[in-house]
Amino acid sequence: MKALLDHLSSEDKIRILQGLEGLADRLPDLDGPDFEEAVHGIISLFYLDPMDHPELVPVLEQAEHLLADQRTRAIPAILDALAESDLKVHFHLAAALGRMGHAAVEPLLCAYREAEEPYVRIFALYALGKVKDPKVIRAVPALFEALEDPHPELRDTAARALGKLVEHLDPNAIPYDLRRELFRRLHDKVRDRFAGVRSKAVRSLGKMARFGLLERDEAEAATVTLAGILGEGEGESWDLAYIVRLEAQRARRHLSVPPR
């Protein structure tokens, strides 16, 4: 295995891919410290900057797929890596978790509930937003909870993840009562004191409109709200944050009031 990990430390695309292929064959037979070392070796590739080495983009994609293939076995090592890695690495880790599908849902929810560090909780919610499996709907209560958290980045990430859930799921898989609650909570966050939260809430409302999840009264309320954000409502001043106004313009393209 040392030879394979040495391949990963190369800057040569072919050698790295050979190392990944060799690890793919070996990983099913590894456990304990050997397995963790192999996983951390794969994660080390995510420090590569594709801006400096665009030829290595296929390497990063292959590494994400290989991590995802390990399913829940790799999740503890992935979560451990958060404390000693940078944001660039974290985007790839979240993508790998998203590729795991339903297998990642419960471990990520556990990480969200049990983590003491806010960043780990934020990462767990962000990664849940990458999961496209229908079972991710089990994360909705945690996302609703995070929408009310005092930490603005948790609220921001939860609002974003709810929009991704709407985007990834079959609209028919979202029960009527849940859709109504989803609209109510996102609509409330349009008035959050932090612009990032407001912008994500508006974006997610736009996705609800895009995928036909709004009832007539909700579409009417959203229309009034978006007009207010853009400074078009009676007696209302526009949202001071440009990003919120931009998201409102985008959301309005998908908004139409259903007939009675």
Side-chain angles (χ1 to χ4, degrees):
M1 189 174 74
K2 183 179 183 304
L4 294 174
L5 292 176
D6 286 344
H7 276 56
L8 300 190
S9 66
S10 169
E11 290 188 356
D12 179 76
K13 173 183 172 182
I14 301 303
R15 280 180 58 80
I16 298 173
L17 289 174
Q18 288 172 342
L20 289 173
E21 290 170 3
L23 283 175
D25 292 334
R26 291 289 307 278
L27 279 168
D29 299 322
L30 298 178
D31 56 19
D34 289 338
F35 178 77
E36 290 181 12
E37 184 177 8
V39 169
H40 282 288
I42 296 166
I43 291 173
S44 71
L45 292 172
F46 298 143
Y47 285 95
L48 294 169
D49 190 338
M51 298 296 290
D52 294 334
H53 299 281
E55 76 280 3
L56 296 182
V57 169
V59 166
L60 300 176
E61 293 176 350
Q62 183 66 23
E64 287 179 10
H65 280 289
L66 183 53
L67 273 187
D69 288 343
Q70 308 317 306
R71 313 289 278 181
T72 54
R73 294 179 70 207
I75 292 178
I78 289 174
L79 295 177
D80 286 343
L82 289 177
E84 299 181 356
S85 53
D86 59 25
L87 192 60
K88 178 171 73 273
V89 174
H90 298 172
F91 284 129
H92 291 291
L93 296 179
L97 288 163
R99 294 181 193 276
M100 292 182 189
H102 66 85
V105 174
E106 285 304 325
L108 286 171
L109 285 173
C110 287
Y112 166 76
R113 296 187 192 106
E114 297 173 4
E116 296 181 1
E117 284 288 330
Y119 186 79
V120 176
R121 302 177 73 215
I122 292 165
F123 174 84
L125 297 185
Y126 178 80
L128 282 165
K130 296 286 187 180
V131 176
K132 298 181 181 181
D133 189 277
K135 290 185 180 178
V136 76
I137 201 168
R138 296 204 302 260
V140 169
L143 294 172
F144 282 169
E145 173 189 289
L147 275 181
E148 308 305 323
D149 195 275
H151 197 300
E153 192 65 29
L154 269 166
R155 300 200 302 278
D156 180 302
T157 308
R160 177 191 183 278
L162 286 166
K164 299 299 286 187
L165 179 146
V166 166
E167 185 178 349
H168 293 157
L169 295 183
D170 180 343
N172 295 322
I174 306 176
Y176 173 81
D177 289 345
L178 180 58
R179 295 198 328 248
R180 298 284 281 186
E181 183 69 6
L182 177 58
F183 173 82
R184 184 186 71 78
R185 292 190 180 246
L186 289 172
H187 195 251
D188 285 348
K189 291 298 129 182
V190 169
R191 295 169 180 81
D192 195 275
R193 61 177 294 195
F194 287 92
V197 180
R198 298 199 302 275
S199 68
K200 300 302 190 308
V202 171
R203 182 191 301 176
S204 294
L205 286 173
K207 290 182 179 180
M208 290 192 73
R210 176 184 172 190
F211 292 101
L213 294 178
L214 298 184
E215 298 298 315
R216 181 182 177 86
D217 62 318
E218 295 167 339
E220 290 174 343
T223 298
V224 172
T225 296
L226 296 180
I229 290 171
L230 295 169
E232 299 171 359
E234 290 185 13
E236 299 222 24
S237 59
W238 69 356
D239 195 296
L240 294 178
Y242 175 82
I243 186 59
V244 181
R245 300 197 305 274
L246 179 62
E247 293 292 353
Q249 289 174 341
R250 290 170 174 167
R252 195 156 65 171
R253 297 171 191 162
H254 305 293
L255 195 62
S256 61
V257 179
R260 293 189 184 277

